[in-house]
Amino acid sequence: LGVMQSTIQTISYDHPEDRRILKSCLSQWFQNPKDLNLTDPKMKFPFHFDMWVKRSYSMTDNMTFIAKNMEWIIGYISLRMMRTKQAGHLFHLIVDRNYRKQGVGTNLVKHIELFAKNEKLVSLTLNVAKKNNDAIRLYTTLGYEPAGETASGSFIYRKKL
C-alpha cells in the first residue's frame, strides 16, 4: 500500500466543537475493546469519553494532533510536554482500522517530533503494551529504544531528538 495522503492539525479538548468531534470519533474507534486496551490499557471497556478526558487531558501542557484524509479524522496522537525536563511523552496513538499500515502513524509521530524540537524538547518517551507488536515495530523503525518498563508492565521507549 502507498503512503496515505493526510493533513495533520492540532485539536483541543478545550474547544466545544473539537470536543464534540473527538467524542464522536473516539467513541466509534473504541467500540472494539482491543483497540481501547492497546491505546490505553488503564481504560476499561466500554469507552467513556468523560473519563478519558478527565484521566489524560485535564493537564495543561498536553497537545493533541489529528491526521485527516479529506475531512475525516483517520489518526490521533497526543504529546505531554514536560518543559522543565526538556522532554515530552507521546501517548494515545491510534489510527482508524481502515487506514492502518499506510504511513499515518509514522506521519503523526514525525510531526510530533518536529513540533517537540521546535519547542526545545530534547527527548521523547512513550509507553507501549507488550502485546502491541505493530506499535513496537513502528517505534523501533522510527529510532525509539527500549528504556525499561512501567509499573503496570508496559514497555517504555525513548528517543533523543
Side-chain angles (χ1 to χ4, degrees):
L1 292 170
V3 173
M4 169 60 54
Q5 289 303 307
S6 60
T7 56
I8 297 176
Q9 63 191 61
T10 308
I11 196 165
S12 174
Y13 284 92
D14 294 335
H15 298 111
E17 181 62 9
D18 286 358
R19 198 177 176 109
R20 183 191 66 75
I21 291 166
L22 287 166
K23 182 174 184 176
S24 172
C25 182
L26 294 169
S27 296
Q28 183 69 34
W29 286 344
F30 294 138
Q31 286 180 4
N32 178 325
K34 182 179 178 188
D35 285 337
L36 178 60
N37 183 260
L38 289 178
T39 305
D40 188 339
K42 293 184 180 136
M43 286 288 295
K44 300 282 183 256
F45 188 82
F47 177 70
H48 292 284
F49 182 76
D50 293 337
M51 179 64 74
W52 170 270
V53 173
K54 183 178 168 193
R55 288 186 47 156
S56 298
Y57 296 95
S58 53
M59 290 75 103
T60 53
D61 236 359
N62 288 344
M63 300 282 305
T64 298
F65 301 89
I66 54 170
K68 288 176 115 177
N69 180 25
M70 310 295 187
E71 286 303 305
W72 292 101
I73 296 175
I74 60 170
Y76 173 105
I77 193 169
S78 293
L79 168 69
R80 180 169 301 125
M81 289 185 280
M82 298 164 283
R83 293 178 193 279
T84 54
K85 297 179 183 175
Q86 292 182 290
H89 184 76
L90 302 183
F91 63 105
H92 290 164
L93 172 62
I94 183 165
V95 174
D96 183 300
R97 284 186 169 268
N98 298 320
Y99 294 92
R100 291 185 183 165
K101 303 217 185 298
Q102 296 179 48
V104 177
T106 298
N107 290 343
L108 282 164
V109 173
K110 286 181 175 180
H111 183 86
I112 278 201
E113 290 174 357
L114 192 59
F115 178 85
K117 283 181 192 174
N118 289 336
E119 293 292 316
K120 309 286 187 264
L121 304 184
V122 297
S123 67
L124 293 173
T125 58
L126 59 91
N127 302 338
V128 61
K130 287 183 177 179
K131 59 188 175 223
N132 195 345
N133 294 323
D134 289 339
I136 291 168
R137 195 172 314 114
L138 169 70
Y139 297 130
T140 304
T141 301
L142 291 173
Y144 287 78
E145 297 177 346
E149 288 187 23
T150 66
S152 59
S154 291
F155 291 131
I156 301 169
Y157 279 78
R158 177 173 288 119
K159 180 177 182 177
K160 288 194 185 325
L161 297 176

